[in-house]
Amino acid sequence: MHSAPVDSPPRPPDHRTTTRAAAALALCSALLLTLVAVKWRPLISVDGDIARTTHRWAVDESGLTHTFRILTDWVWDPWTMRLVCAVAVVWLAWRRSAWWTALWLAATCTLGGLLQQTLKAAVDRPRPVWADPVDSAGYAAFPSGHAMTATVVCGLLLWLLHHYGPGRAVWRTALAVGVVSVLGVGLTRVWLGVHWPSDVVGGWLLGAMLVALAVLVHQRKIRS
């Protein structure tokens, strides 16, 4: 007996729910992007208050800060996430013969990287600067590339896993790993003083928007 290919989902997709989610995320992303671009004072003030507090904690808690550096530089680094995505692409194409879904996954992750870099260049937001930094990062701040990449990769892989019926234990484990990774990487970027909180929120929103749009494309392709 042959298992159904990944490009033939066993469940009917809900296009309206996905469309509404994509629209809401796009609206929130655009609003936050605008507030950051115009340097809206209340947002800048909240960003500064949170960043100063977490930086003070990071300096005082050197052991925890070192752990966060390992997590953000190795476990949740964008290149680690892209490697996980590449493994999934190879598995879909080779083991499941799901060439369209493999291409869809690779294209979405690539588009996420391009969108992230384009917005960084366009907004050109400076990163936090500290007299006693605990970490460093280059290029512009908004949106957080770590947060956005983790959201896109984890979101897409979780959707694929859930859509094709995993066992309960597998699903719960994967969901826990995904949620901890997405939230955790955002926390580390603020804690280490290399991003403002709104950079991380922007990365989460833009990543989730891209996932919703990609899911909508996949659903429409399967339906056609």
Side-chain angles (χ1 to χ4, degrees):
M1 179 180 295
H2 297 285
S3 59
V6 176
D7 284 332
S8 299
R11 305 171 189 171
D14 187 346
H15 302 285
R16 289 178 297 179
T17 299
T18 308
T19 302
R20 286 194 292 266
L25 288 165
L27 180 61
C28 292
S29 298
L31 176 59
L32 180 58
L33 174 61
T34 301
L35 295 179
V36 169
V38 301
K39 301 178 181 179
W40 191 51
R41 188 173 298 276
L43 177 64
I44 301 302
S45 177
V46 171
D47 270 344
D49 289 344
I50 295 174
R52 284 187 290 272
T53 300
T54 53
H55 179 68
R56 187 166 59 250
W57 293 343
V59 172
D60 293 339
E61 301 292 338
S62 58
L64 183 57
T65 298
H66 180 67
T67 300
F68 280 178
R69 287 191 65 179
I70 293 174
L71 287 171
T72 197
D73 290 342
W74 294 97
V75 180
W76 295 324
D77 183 76
W79 284 108
T80 302
M81 290 292 171
R82 291 171 188 138
L83 179 60
V84 171
C85 182
V87 170
V89 167
V90 172
W91 182 83
L92 285 167
W94 181 39
R95 296 297 299 272
R96 298 299 296 262
S97 297
W99 293 97
W100 190 89
T101 296
L103 179 61
W104 165 84
L105 179 59
T108 303
C109 290
T110 301
L111 179 60
L114 293 174
L115 176 61
Q116 169 204 136
Q117 294 302 313
T118 300
L119 289 175
K120 280 180 178 290
V123 178
D124 196 25
R125 188 185 200 187
R127 292 179 184 266
V129 177
W130 309 105
D132 51 349
V134 297
D135 201 358
S136 62
Y139 203 33
F142 185 91
S144 166
H146 281 67
M148 185 172 175
T149 302
T151 303
V152 171
V153 172
C154 292
L156 291 175
L157 295 183
L158 283 172
W159 181 79
L160 283 172
L161 183 63
H162 180 263
H163 199 61
Y164 301 106
R168 181 175 297 179
V170 172
W171 169 247
R172 287 180 175 177
T173 301
L175 181 61
V177 170
V179 171
V180 168
S181 296
V182 171
L183 296 180
V185 74
L187 171 63
T188 64
R189 303 311 284 168
V190 176
W191 180 278
L192 294 172
V194 293
H195 275 294
W196 305 105
S198 57
D199 299 336
V200 170
V201 175
W204 285 337
L205 287 173
L206 288 162
M209 178 195 72
L210 190 59
V211 169
L213 291 173
V215 168
L216 186 61
V217 169
H218 195 283
Q219 289 175 340
R220 290 182 182 276
K221 170 66 176 178
I222 298 305
R223 189 180 183 184
S224 61

